[in-house]
Amino acid sequence: MLDDHDHDHDHRHPDADGPFATYLALLARGAPAEAYERPVLHARAASPDHPAAVERAERARLLALRVRAELEDRRRRESELSALVDTAHDLAGLRDADAVLQAIVRRARSLVGTDAAYLTLNDPAAGVTSMRVTDGSVSAGFQQLRLGMGEGLGGLVAQTARPYATDDYLDDPRFRHTTAIDAGVREEGLVAILGVPLDLGGRVIGVLFAADRRARVFDRRHIALLGSLAAHAAVAIDTANLLAGTRQALAGLETANRIIRDRSAALERAAGVHDRLTELVLRGGDVHDVADTVAEVLAGRVAFLEAPRCPAPALERSRAAGRAVRHDDGWIAAVSVGEELLGALRLYGRRELDAVDRRTLERAAMVTSLLQLARRSADEAEHRVRGELLDDLLDAGGRDHRLLRERAARLGADLRAPHLVLAARIAGGRGDTPADRQRLSSAAAHLAATRHGLAAARDGGTVLLLPHGPDDGATETARCVARRLGGEVGAPVTVGSSAPVHAPADRPDEVVAAYTEARRCLDALNVLGRAGDGAAAGDFGFLGLLLASAPDADRVREFITRTIGPVVDYDTRRGTELVGTLDAYFASGMSPARTKDALHVHVNTVAQRLERVGRLLGPHWQSPSRALEIQLALRLHRLSPGPADGP
């Protein structure tokens, strides 16, 4: 049977979706943000006496602006990935060293989105690293800077071969400041600076920088992206230098023609492999496609191994050296993003590799790291979109049902089918740290994606919306989810489940009520000593009925007040502990002697408290029927929110 809200919804005015159609048209043609105000202004002018129409227009505007922002965010991520692919393509086609360096700096500035980018190259003989190429720089003095090893941020990067970042360079005491460097930075107006080493075979050949003229925090993503580009660039610079050296040798050494031709052919083969890998990235290949391509080129078997499956000593040697290393009857090239080891490409059956084949394997490992980074970014974006959709279901009941269904369909979720709402939290007080909550959120997001559901972090835990089949049981689903999440997180996870919600997109109010039910069920599990377990509200018998839905909350409070209200009020007024004494008394089998041990008080104190309880509740409070009601009321009182936690 439809309630009043559903009845009104099914008999709306024929023009009720007018604002949504208007804003869909604005979204379709990519209208600017200010254009989204006009339909609301028009609705106010056209319907001054119909506030509902204006309210619908305003809701449509807010939803359209949210969709527009999401589209812009997706375009930004696509642009970032496209920039990485363009970088690989550009570097594959460049042969002039200066052109290579200019392309690196220009792409770094675009990739990280900073005001300026620049590159310095090391001069080992002079013990300095000198400015070579800049992009976005306006100061001639800055463009001529020379940094001694260990001086400033760049000198420290060049000396230690580690990335460094600062959100305010001039006020950062970690770096050895010099008058010349600080003057150049001040003249250029730079504030936030990120520098990563250009590492070639364990040797730092330069430093790649991205800098902003305002305070800014560079996060792990920026460092990983710039670090991947720097690693790729170092190999590209080496290739360009080798080609230049080859041309010089060819011009000056007639007697070395055959050697030069062989070397040039080898380098061209390496460039051809690079082009094939670039083409593979462009057409959306994965790490296994990279392995197959390299296996064909190197005439061996190549496999990508996750870090736990790799030989640890060889993997660490490869990561530390930045090169492929020999292992058993083959070679291993570490796949990493910044300082994080993702795994390795392992070549089997080739004990010897020349320099070009070895570099080919290393380049393939770099491409693999880019693909892994892109896949991780895509997974994180999908998890974020799933969480936002679930947040909309829980927080915005007035959203258009059709749009909610369409958004869910794009994620592979069918919100027309029955679903369960599950609340999950790490048991034993271990879910209070950000790291614990992040692990639980990630595990829940992965589980929801594999089950065609949704997940979001909420209220210090996680909420999931999972499909519920006709043969599924809410209790078994909750227990299964508790086991899965507990295994992923490495700690017990308690899960409470609601009853099935039919067509959640059409009934967001029921989703909200189901979430409340799932949380109460989770709390009931903790109170009953079943932390780390999973259950549905129906598993608690009469207690489950009291927890089943929001309207029953009033009955719960009424039952508590009627049964033990005088005792609760007495404790509140006098600051006594009669409720706690009752809990301990029933938990001790109604034995005063065991109760005094549990409370660490004298038995006379227990007797006096129980006598006071008798005067408050009546002479028959210990009869079987009354004792059962009192015990149930005590448990419900423990489950009920305090005055500060109420709605």
Side-chain angles (χ1 to χ4, degrees):
M1 179 180 294
L2 294 173
D3 59 19
D4 293 340
H5 175 77
D6 293 333
H7 182 79
D8 292 342
H9 176 76
D10 292 342
H11 293 81
R12 292 179 300 177
H13 191 276
D15 295 330
D17 289 330
F20 293 97
T22 301
Y23 281 112
L24 284 175
L26 291 175
L27 288 169
R29 68 169 185 265
E34 56 267 18
Y36 289 71
E37 298 290 342
R38 294 169 190 157
V40 177
L41 296 175
H42 177 75
R44 289 173 179 164
S47 305
D49 298 327
H50 294 83
V54 176
E55 183 182 353
R56 285 195 297 272
E58 181 64 24
R59 286 201 310 270
R61 181 183 73 86
L62 294 175
L63 178 60
L65 287 174
R66 187 181 183 93
V67 172
R68 181 176 181 272
E70 177 64 23
L71 292 174
E72 289 181 350
D73 186 61
R74 290 193 178 190
R75 281 194 289 269
R76 179 191 63 75
R77 291 194 297 269
E78 291 171 359
S79 174
E80 183 176 90
L81 185 57
S82 176
L84 280 173
V85 175
D86 289 346
T87 298
H89 183 74
D90 289 349
L91 293 177
L94 292 171
R95 293 295 179 264
D96 179 68
D98 288 332
V100 169
L101 295 178
Q102 190 62 53
I104 293 167
V105 173
R106 185 175 62 253
R107 194 67 69 196
R109 182 184 178 193
S110 169
L111 194 63
V112 185
T114 54
D115 297 324
Y118 47 101
L119 184 146
T120 63
L121 291 183
N122 289 1
D123 184 350
V128 298
T129 179
S130 304
M131 195 74 68
R132 179 68 180 270
V133 178
T134 66
D135 189 67
S137 172
V138 296
S139 167
F142 180 79
Q143 295 166 14
Q144 298 173 4
L145 277 179
R146 290 162 59 89
L147 291 72
M149 292 299 176
E151 293 180 353
L153 185 147
L156 189 59
V157 173
Q159 183 182 58
T160 63
R162 295 176 63 85
Y164 281 88
T166 177
D167 59 353
D168 191 348
Y169 171 78
L170 292 175
D171 290 332
D172 197 327
R174 293 179 298 163
F175 310 111
R176 181 149 57 92
H177 292 268
T178 68
T179 302
I181 295 174
D182 286 2
V185 171
R186 191 177 290 109
E187 183 179 344
E188 186 64 41
L190 299 180
V191 178
I193 304 175
L194 167 63
V196 297
L198 271 64
D199 186 285
L200 189 65
R203 178 170 56 92
V204 178
I205 62 173
V207 180
L208 181 60
F209 300 84
D212 255 333
R213 294 186 174 90
R214 65 187 188 282
R216 168 183 179 175
V217 176
F218 294 101
D219 58 25
R220 290 179 179 271
R221 180 176 64 87
H222 297 127
I223 296 172
L225 288 172
L226 196 62
S228 296
L229 178 60
H232 205 153
V235 176
I237 292 171
D238 185 50
T239 301
N241 290 336
L242 287 173
L243 283 172
T246 301
R247 294 190 187 99
Q248 183 179 0
L250 185 61
L253 299 173
E254 285 290 342
T255 58
N257 282 338
R258 180 181 61 82
I259 297 174
I260 293 174
R261 284 197 303 269
D262 292 345
R263 188 169 182 80
S264 295
L267 291 172
E268 290 297 335
R269 179 162 62 90
V273 172
H274 195 178
D275 290 340
R276 290 183 62 182
L277 293 175
T278 301
E279 180 185 359
L280 186 151
V281 172
L282 289 171
R283 70 167 187 262
D286 59 19
V287 295
H288 302 293
D289 296 324
V290 173
D292 292 342
T293 299
V294 178
E296 179 184 344
V297 172
L298 300 182
R301 184 167 70 88
V302 179
F304 172 71
L305 304 178
E306 300 284 350
R309 297 177 53 204
C310 296
L315 181 63
E316 182 56 33
R317 282 192 292 119
S318 176
R319 185 201 65 78
R323 301 294 302 271
V325 298
R326 185 182 288 109
H327 179 71
D328 292 342
D329 64 340
W331 294 76
I332 280 182
V335 175
S336 62
V337 176
E339 295 296 319
E340 181 182 1
L341 274 173
L342 304 179
L345 286 181
R346 182 167 184 179
L347 171 64
Y348 298 88
R350 288 285 305 272
R351 293 192 59 83
E352 300 297 332
L353 287 180
D354 61 27
V356 174
D357 285 346
R358 185 176 179 182
R359 192 170 294 116
T360 295
L361 183 61
E362 293 161 359
R363 182 171 296 160
M366 294 176 189
V367 172
T368 301
S369 70
L370 291 176
L371 290 175
Q372 290 292 86
L373 184 62
R375 188 190 70 177
R376 177 185 295 180
S377 298
D379 289 344
E380 290 175 352
E382 180 182 348
H383 293 164
R384 185 165 54 252
V385 171
R386 289 180 181 273
E388 289 170 353
L389 177 55
L390 183 51
D391 283 336
D392 287 347
L393 281 171
L394 291 169
D395 295 333
R399 293 189 180 274
D400 183 87
H401 299 168
R402 177 178 56 81
L403 291 178
L404 290 173
R405 289 194 298 270
E406 291 176 355
R407 288 171 61 191
R410 287 195 292 270
L411 296 171
D414 182 9
L415 295 189
R416 297 169 300 180
H419 283 66
L420 292 176
V421 178
L422 302 105
R425 189 179 301 131
I426 297 178
R430 287 193 51 191
D432 295 334
T433 67
D436 288 334
R437 289 193 292 269
Q438 180 59 43
R439 286 201 303 273
L440 178 60
S441 178
S442 298
H446 177 71
L447 175 60
T450 58
R451 295 278 297 271
H452 304 290
L454 306 174
R458 202 172 185 88
D459 299 323
T462 299
V463 55
L464 300 94
L465 184 69
L466 299 181
H468 181 70
D471 298 327
D472 297 336
T475 300
E476 184 54 38
T477 299
R479 289 175 177 168
C480 178
V481 170
R483 288 193 298 270
R484 286 283 300 274
L485 295 182
E488 292 286 338
V489 173
V493 175
T494 310
V495 177
S497 172
S498 71
V501 178
H502 299 278
D506 297 333
R507 299 175 173 88
D509 290 342
E510 293 186 17
V511 176
V512 175
Y515 175 54
T516 301
E517 174 183 319
R519 285 193 63 197
R520 287 179 177 273
C521 184
L522 186 152
D523 291 338
L525 283 169
N526 288 327
V527 170
L528 297 176
R530 293 174 56 186
D533 198 358
D539 298 333
F540 297 101
F542 178 64
L543 182 59
L545 293 176
L546 293 173
L547 296 173
S549 61
D552 287 332
D554 293 333
R555 289 191 295 170
V556 170
R557 286 191 289 270
E558 179 185 346
F559 176 76
I560 294 171
T561 301
R562 185 179 68 248
T563 307
I564 61 171
V567 177
V568 174
D569 292 342
Y570 188 91
D571 275 355
T572 302
R573 292 195 312 270
R574 302 293 184 89
T576 54
E577 296 179 3
L578 298 184
V579 172
T581 301
L582 273 176
D583 265 331
Y585 180 66
F586 286 117
S588 302
M590 301 176 69
S591 166
R594 287 196 293 271
T595 303
K596 62 96 175 174
D597 293 335
L599 296 177
H600 304 291
V601 297
H602 195 274
V603 69
N604 290 341
T605 302
V606 174
Q608 291 169 4
R609 293 179 181 178
L610 295 179
E611 181 181 359
R612 174 63 64 182
V613 169
R615 287 200 294 270
L616 292 170
L617 299 183
H620 304 296
W621 69 276
Q622 297 190 70
S623 65
S625 59
R626 283 280 284 152
L628 178 61
E629 289 184 351
I630 291 171
Q631 291 180 68
L632 180 57
L634 287 170
R635 292 220 169 174
L636 291 173
H637 176 66
R638 292 167 63 190
L639 281 174
S640 300
D645 301 322

